[in-house]
Amino acid sequence: MRGLLASSVGVTCALALALPLTSPALAARPVSPAAVRPASGAEALGGTQSLPLAPLVSRDRTLAPVAEQGLPRRDVRHFSLVGVIWDDPDAVLNGRVQVRTRAVGADTWSGWQDLEIHNDDAADPGTAERTSGRVHGATAPLWVGDSDGVEVRVRAEADRRTEDTARGSRTATTTAPLPAGLRLELVDPGESAPEPTGEESAAGAPRRAVAPRPAPTADPADADAAMDASAANAGLVGLGATEIPALDRQQTEQELFALRAAELTGQQRVKPYIGPRPRIVTRHGWGADEGLRERTFVYTKKVKAAFVHHTASGNGYSCTQAASLIRGIYRYHVKSMGWRDIGYNFLVDKCGNIYEGRAGGVAKPVLGAHTLGFNSNSMGIAVLGSYGSKKPPAAATRAIAQLAAWKLGLHGANPKGKTYLKSGGGNRYPKGRKVRLNVISGHRDGFATECPGRQLYRKLGSTRTTAARLQGR
């Protein structure tokens, strides 16, 4: 039975990885009962409340009213994720963005929480996704849990400097204007996974994520989009599957040999360097509403490097809420920020569960929007949470290594090696420059940013070593 399973895995993977880069025709394909569920109301699908900010009266008389904007406390519809956007995606918000919220059923309010203002995950300059006219500047989103009250304040950074005048020294204060079109985005991710049951380890031990109820749809076009997203993983798993199961080392090698069968004709098969395929929760598994994204898939040539990120969305989520958090980030990326799909190729929660990100097939080189200037020939792996001062759980860093060992192995990349990528333009390297990078890099290696957070970035050395060992190097 084991040999039969390994053999069938190799054949089916070869079919999947040989699929054309365009979305396959689906008309003759039977619809899996699990692929689409009838609509059960707008609330199940989630939604976004977009509220314009207005000038506030500042307690600091040195600030003009335009330098502080916000929204007084107010009751709103349920939401779980919050962010602030503005009109010009190239405008920089120099200042501080804070929110406080009220949980559903509570009378008290949270303390003020900071939003990460430099949201540097983005499509490359000049690409169709970046120049669509729908893209906005944005903070990183913050997960606050089920809430129905909100207050926000955005304050420009004041630059105080000492000037020498004929009458002596004086302090001058200047304040850059806030970006135009500031709006508060309150995201309801839709139906959530069940609440934590106590099976979740406080230390973040890996365990099977609880699959959420899939996003319902009544629109035939949305049903087709859901089929497309699922079919992109055909051969790895059946239509409508909520997860792609893990393979052992032997099974993974056999599927890679099947992929390379044509190349190896008349040649001796050499043992490949590839890590066992890890378990991956599909988009259907985390409940993606496929009607939100653009229908087509966009691919790059290969995957030469992996960029590690954190979502900067806070650590106040449980692993059974991870699917809801991902649905919230997905909606924020598409509906609020104007991207074609969620930006990351993969996401990892603090319990070590791995999730499919941008649609197009987990084994294929899907073009993401994660590292401005270096999205071509790379993939983005984002750990859910904020890891500037907090250490990432061992389960999460191990999952990064497992995912990188497998996906980079499909493309013959050494996790401990170096590679060259051509910059598409950014604040660290000009457009057209060939940059030598680690095959497993942090976001900050390609763009001047704090991402993936100091504590997660410090773990990348051991992640490279683990991934290389999993590949058999």
Side-chain angles (χ1 to χ4, degrees):
M1 181 66 182
R2 187 177 185 84
L4 177 61
L5 175 61
S7 175
S8 63
V9 166
V11 173
T12 55
C13 184
L15 291 173
L17 296 176
L19 285 173
L21 296 186
T22 55
S23 179
L26 299 172
R29 211 176 263 128
V31 178
S32 166
V36 177
R37 200 184 72 165
S40 60
E43 290 185 2
L45 288 169
T48 302
Q49 302 169 70
S50 186
L51 308 175
L53 303 189
L56 299 175
V57 177
S58 175
R59 294 183 298 273
D60 187 344
R61 295 180 181 276
T62 64
L63 291 176
V66 73
E68 188 166 18
Q69 296 187 35
L71 192 73
R73 285 188 184 186
R74 74 166 56 178
D75 297 336
V76 292
R77 298 192 306 275
H78 286 210
F79 69 97
S80 297
L81 192 83
V82 59
V84 169
I85 65 171
W86 52 92
D87 293 342
D88 184 356
D90 296 316
V92 177
L93 194 163
N94 292 310
R96 190 175 190 184
V97 180
Q98 294 180 301
V99 298
R100 57 182 172 187
T101 57
R102 184 189 61 211
V104 170
D107 295 324
T108 58
W109 288 70
S110 71
W112 287 105
Q113 299 185 76
D114 286 287
L115 274 62
E116 174 57 58
I117 58 173
H118 299 297
N119 192 12
D120 304 315
D121 308 323
D124 289 347
T127 60
E129 184 169 8
R130 181 74 177 182
T131 59
S132 66
R134 299 188 302 270
V135 180
H136 296 105
T139 68
L142 178 69
W143 176 261
V144 295
D146 195 11
S147 305
D148 61 5
V150 68
E151 181 179 7
V152 63
R153 61 190 184 193
V154 181
R155 192 175 193 185
E157 188 177 73
D159 179 26
R160 292 180 173 85
R161 64 183 184 278
T162 302
E163 297 179 342
D164 293 326
T165 69
R167 297 184 179 182
S169 298
R170 71 180 184 90
T171 299
T173 301
T174 57
T175 304
L178 293 170
L182 287 170
R183 295 187 295 285
L184 177 67
E185 302 288 289
L186 304 175
V187 180
D188 171 11
E191 291 184 342
S192 301
E195 290 300 310
T197 61
E199 299 174 12
E200 178 178 314
S201 166
R207 67 174 185 83
R208 296 175 68 85
V210 179
R213 292 182 291 274
T217 177
D219 189 330
D222 293 353
D224 287 345
M227 289 291 288
D228 278 352
S230 186
N233 290 314
L236 301 181
V237 72
L239 289 172
T242 58
E243 65 176 62
I244 298 169
L247 299 180
D248 63 24
R249 180 65 179 271
Q250 182 181 9
Q251 292 168 339
T252 304
E253 289 178 359
Q254 287 182 336
E255 75 175 18
L256 185 59
F257 282 138
L259 170 65
R260 295 179 176 177
E263 303 173 24
L264 298 171
T265 302
Q267 303 179 35
Q268 183 178 1
R269 295 204 310 186
V270 179
K271 187 177 179 65
Y273 292 112
I274 187 169
R277 188 180 76 194
R279 171 182 170 271
I280 302 171
V281 178
T282 65
R283 290 173 63 92
H284 185 61
W286 54 260
D289 176 0
E290 300 295 353
L292 294 180
R293 64 172 175 84
E294 289 187 12
R295 282 292 304 273
T296 58
F297 307 139
V298 181
Y299 297 89
T300 185
K301 292 181 179 179
K302 62 186 303 184
V303 177
K304 299 171 63 177
F307 286 99
V308 177
H309 304 253
H310 68 169
T311 57
S313 50
N315 302 311
Y317 71 94
S318 68
C319 290
T320 50
Q321 293 174 318
S324 294
L325 173 53
I326 295 170
R327 290 199 303 278
I329 293 173
Y330 170 44
R331 180 173 284 275
Y332 185 70
H333 281 183
V334 176
K335 303 300 288 185
S336 299
M337 297 180 63
W339 296 356
R340 66 191 318 276
D341 193 352
I342 192 169
Y344 310 113
N345 298 104
F346 296 93
L347 300 100
V348 175
D349 69 26
K350 56 189 175 184
C351 289
N353 297 300
I354 301 170
Y355 302 83
E356 178 183 14
R358 181 162 287 204
V362 298
K364 299 177 185 177
V366 178
L367 179 67
H370 50 84
T371 304
L372 180 65
F374 292 99
N375 290 301
S376 291
N377 298 327
S378 72
M379 67 173 176
I381 304 171
V383 182
L384 298 172
S386 302
Y387 297 102
S389 58
K390 183 177 176 59
K391 293 182 179 180
T397 55
R398 179 164 180 80
I400 296 170
Q402 291 171 328
L403 176 59
W406 172 69
K407 186 65 181 280
L408 292 172
L410 290 175
H411 297 269
N414 181 354
K416 291 186 70 175
K418 303 277 188 179
T419 191
Y420 282 93
L421 293 178
K422 181 183 288 188
S423 172
N427 66 0
R428 194 177 186 94
Y429 299 104
K431 183 176 182 178
R433 177 179 292 183
K434 289 186 177 180
V435 182
R436 190 167 185 256
L437 294 161
N438 287 308
V439 168
I440 296 180
S441 286
H443 184 184
R444 64 176 63 183
D445 295 322
F447 194 89
T449 175
E450 293 298 314
C451 184
R454 180 171 54 88
Q455 295 292 347
L456 180 53
Y457 188 76
R458 290 175 59 185
K459 296 292 185 180
L460 294 189
S462 60
T463 299
R464 297 181 190 107
T465 300
T466 301
R469 177 175 55 78
L470 290 169
Q471 283 192 347
R473 296 183 185 271

